[in-house]
Amino acid sequence: MAPSGSSAVPLAVLVLLLWGAPWTHGRRSNVRVITDENWRELLEGDWMIEFYAPWCPACQNLQPEWESFAEWGEDLEVNVAKVDVTEQPGLSGRFIITALPTIYHCKDGEFRRYQGPRTKKDFINFISDKEWKSIEPVSSWFGPGSVLMSSMSALFQLSMWIRACHNYFIEDLGLPVWGSYTVFALATLFSGLLLGLCMIFVADCLCPSKRRRPQPYPYPSKQLLSESAQPLKKVEEEQEADEEDVSEEEAERKEGTNKDFPQNAIRQRSLGPSLATDKS
């Protein structure tokens, strides 16, 4: 018995739905998901990356346009990707995401922030007309692969881990809020002490303190000998100066006596005959 026309229509609709399900799933796969594990793929090739959050209304309005733009990715030779900041806090800190949604363009490791209109047509023109060349790339200091941004990523991950621990203490263990804060305060105190000890140990190993060696008594240092010899030299110089002064004075006296000696002799000679006559 052949099936009636009324039963053939629902069967055809069912076949179309089953055939359309994988096609719809394939459309959604055009947008690649970036995580902390595979984010280094962004450093090669041409990329457009959207940072979003599921609870953000602006992000929800952008999703249809972003999905439509991803369909042109193969023709434009650009990879279209997205990052859920609620699931990937490390990437949120690595790219300094302060507003949602945030869109970045990456070309061979150079990142530029897209700030134009958010429609499929504008995204296509941005790539096809190479409008990204007119935007200044992010400095290498603030690039996602720099040491600074890696530290920011670790800090964001640490904050999310602390939040998860706080929720675990309160919800699962039943601790009061002040009890959870006390645990974190003690952990911070002990970790600071441990870090300080490690830093002191490393500093002592790299730059050991110089200890003064005791000098033997019979062998004083050259510096002490030179310092002690300076007053003696001064005394000797003063004595020599005094001796020179005395010798000069004696020389002057001798010269004076030598000058007076001939005059006295002349006087004695002149007085000699007169004395003789007086005696006679």
Side-chain angles (χ1 to χ4, degrees):
M1 181 177 180
S4 61
S6 59
S7 62
V9 173
L11 182 62
V13 173
L14 180 61
V15 170
L16 288 175
L17 290 175
L18 293 176
W19 178 79
W23 178 77
T24 305
H25 181 72
R27 284 181 54 192
R28 293 181 181 178
S29 65
N30 290 333
V31 180
R32 301 183 61 176
V33 178
I34 302 299
T35 62
D36 284 320
E37 287 74 21
N38 65 351
W39 76 269
R40 291 192 175 274
E41 296 180 4
L42 303 176
L43 301 178
E44 297 179 358
D46 201 355
W47 291 80
M48 287 286 285
I49 314 104
E50 175 203 6
F51 292 84
Y52 75 100
W55 47 264
C56 174
C59 300
Q60 295 173 3
N61 296 331
L62 178 61
Q63 290 308 309
E65 297 290 336
W66 197 251
E67 295 289 343
S68 300
F69 169 59
E71 296 177 5
W72 289 76
E74 186 175 356
D75 297 332
L76 297 172
E77 297 181 354
V78 62
N79 299 302
V80 182
K82 61 181 179 180
V83 178
D84 186 356
V85 295
T86 60
E87 297 292 335
Q88 307 297 328
L91 292 180
S92 178
R94 191 179 292 276
F95 286 86
I96 316 180
I97 304 302
T98 57
L100 294 174
T102 298
I103 299 174
Y104 273 95
H105 172 264
C106 179
K107 178 67 174 178
D108 296 331
E110 289 186 350
F111 289 84
R112 296 172 173 86
R113 187 166 181 174
Y114 176 82
Q115 296 180 343
R118 298 170 182 174
T119 62
K120 180 185 74 172
K121 181 179 178 181
D122 294 309
F123 294 147
I124 293 174
N125 293 335
F126 182 78
I127 297 299
S128 61
D129 298 340
K130 296 183 178 181
E131 296 177 0
W132 49 268
K133 290 185 176 181
S134 61
I135 302 175
E136 188 71 19
V138 177
S139 174
S140 59
W141 288 96
F142 297 98
S146 64
V147 177
L148 180 60
M149 292 299 101
S150 299
S151 302
M152 289 293 295
S153 175
L155 184 62
F156 271 62
Q157 291 178 346
L158 178 62
S159 64
M160 294 301 295
W161 180 79
I162 292 174
R163 182 179 179 181
C165 292
H166 178 69
N167 294 332
Y168 173 76
F169 291 152
I170 295 176
E171 297 175 1
D172 296 344
L173 299 181
L175 292 177
V177 176
W178 62 267
S180 178
Y181 290 161
T182 303
V183 172
F184 284 115
L186 293 175
T188 304
L189 179 62
F190 284 111
S191 61
L193 291 174
L194 181 61
L195 180 61
L197 290 175
C198 293
M199 292 179 65
I200 292 172
F201 177 75
V202 172
D204 194 21
C205 291
L206 296 177
C207 302
S209 59
K210 296 181 179 179
R211 299 178 180 179
R212 295 182 178 178
R213 296 180 179 179
Q215 297 179 355
Y217 179 75
Y219 303 98
S221 61
K222 295 181 179 179
Q223 183 178 2
L224 293 175
L225 289 174
S226 60
E227 292 178 355
S228 61
Q230 289 179 358
L232 295 175
K233 289 181 179 179
K234 291 181 179 180
V235 172
E236 290 177 357
E237 291 176 356
E238 292 177 355
Q239 291 178 355
E240 290 178 356
D242 294 338
E243 290 177 355
E244 290 178 356
D245 294 337
V246 172
S247 61
E248 290 178 357
E249 292 178 357
E250 292 179 353
E252 290 177 355
R253 289 177 182 176
K254 290 180 180 180
E255 289 178 358
T257 54
N258 292 330
K259 289 178 181 179
D260 295 337
F261 178 75
Q263 295 178 358
N264 294 330
I266 294 169
R267 288 178 183 177
Q268 289 177 0
R269 289 178 182 177
S270 61
L271 292 175
S274 61
L275 291 173
T277 55
D278 292 338
K279 288 180 180 180
S280 60

